[in-house]
Amino acid sequence: MNNELKINKFRISDLKSVKNIYYNSFPEEERFSIFLLMFNLLTKFCKLYTLKDKHSIVGFIYYITYKDMIFLLYLAVDENSRGKGYGKYLLNFCIKENSNKDIYLNIDKIDERFSDINIRKKRLKFYVENGFYLTDYFSLEENVDFNILSTKEDIDIAKYKKLDEKIAKLFFDKKSNIVKRS
């Protein structure tokens, strides 16, 4: 990493770059409207930070804070800047900023039936190598099943469900069905 990396709180002038990275990084079924993401930044619960290398935004991190928990909703790096350590830099920033909190995130279910299984495995490996644990729980949503990862090896699932309820309220979404891996 070079000395020209800078993490900044989101500014409206960053919107075009963030939108571009967002739409190129996540499938439609896993995206909330950009308007809703921006609107929720007005609450005390949602935070968005951008990562600049020199003068260009190369990635962003969007997370939700609730009590002593963080839910990492989106971590994305521009498709032309991947593999250079930017994702790790953003993730480490989030972990350091929230060292006194449990951090959770969801990734696509690891299942050999999916054509993008190699990307899913790579994503899991990235998070495990950066301090996350694959929990014994899934978050089942309408179109997608997610593995729940956490910075704690053993999670309090009742606490996690409260966090999930908060996220559902913020994004006018249904609560996820949280199930234990069989």
Side-chain angles (χ1 to χ4, degrees):
M1 283 291 115
N2 64 44
N3 295 346
E4 304 209 30
L5 293 182
K6 188 155 175 81
I7 293 181
N8 295 308
K9 220 172 191 180
F10 174 79
R11 294 180 286 231
I12 199 66
S13 59
D14 300 333
L15 183 59
K16 185 177 178 182
S17 296
V18 168
K19 271 175 65 171
N20 186 44
I21 295 169
Y22 181 61
Y23 288 127
N24 288 317
S25 297
F26 301 100
E28 187 175 349
E29 65 272 10
E30 294 179 19
R31 293 190 309 240
F32 290 109
S33 79
I34 199 78
F35 173 80
L36 195 51
L37 289 171
M38 296 302 117
F39 179 77
N40 278 328
L41 291 176
L42 299 173
T43 72
K44 66 180 182 179
F45 302 104
C46 297
K47 302 199 181 308
L48 172 58
Y49 292 92
T50 59
L51 175 63
K52 286 188 178 183
D53 189 351
K54 297 180 185 157
H55 303 292
S56 299
I57 293 176
V58 294
F60 72 88
I61 190 165
Y62 189 108
Y63 59 88
I64 298 152
T65 63
Y66 181 65
K67 296 186 178 182
D68 61 346
M69 298 174 284
I70 297 289
F71 186 82
L72 180 51
L73 189 60
Y74 296 112
L75 170 65
V77 173
D78 179 81
E79 58 191 339
N80 297 318
S81 300
R82 293 181 185 150
K84 297 178 181 175
Y86 296 132
K88 182 176 183 165
Y89 194 86
L90 279 163
L91 188 59
N92 286 334
F93 164 79
C94 180
I95 291 169
K96 284 179 191 171
E97 288 289 306
N98 301 287
S99 61
N100 59 335
K101 298 181 180 181
D102 298 344
I103 303 175
Y104 301 95
L105 61 92
N106 292 346
I107 62 168
D108 292 317
K109 184 177 181 180
I110 308 299
D111 190 323
E112 297 293 332
R113 293 178 294 154
F114 294 106
S115 61
D116 64 347
I117 187 63
N118 291 332
I119 293 169
R120 292 171 186 235
K121 286 180 178 178
K122 186 177 176 183
R123 193 172 293 133
L124 174 62
K125 182 180 179 203
F126 168 78
Y127 285 112
V128 169
E129 287 177 347
N130 286 286
F132 283 80
Y133 297 93
L134 180 61
T135 70
D136 291 333
Y137 295 93
F138 287 108
S139 176
L140 307 177
E141 299 181 13
E142 278 184 40
N143 301 325
V144 188
D145 295 347
F146 294 102
N147 288 295
I148 299 172
L149 279 71
S150 173
T151 51
K152 297 260 181 181
E153 197 165 1
D154 296 314
I155 67 170
D156 179 341
I157 199 60
K159 244 174 86 170
Y160 178 85
K161 287 180 179 181
K162 294 284 186 196
L163 175 62
D164 186 67
E165 286 176 24
K166 184 62 179 177
I167 295 165
K169 286 179 185 173
L170 285 167
F171 290 94
F172 308 106
D173 204 13
K174 295 177 186 166
K175 291 187 304 186
S176 302
N177 184 19
I178 310 299
V179 297
K180 189 161 181 140
R181 191 184 317 270
S182 49

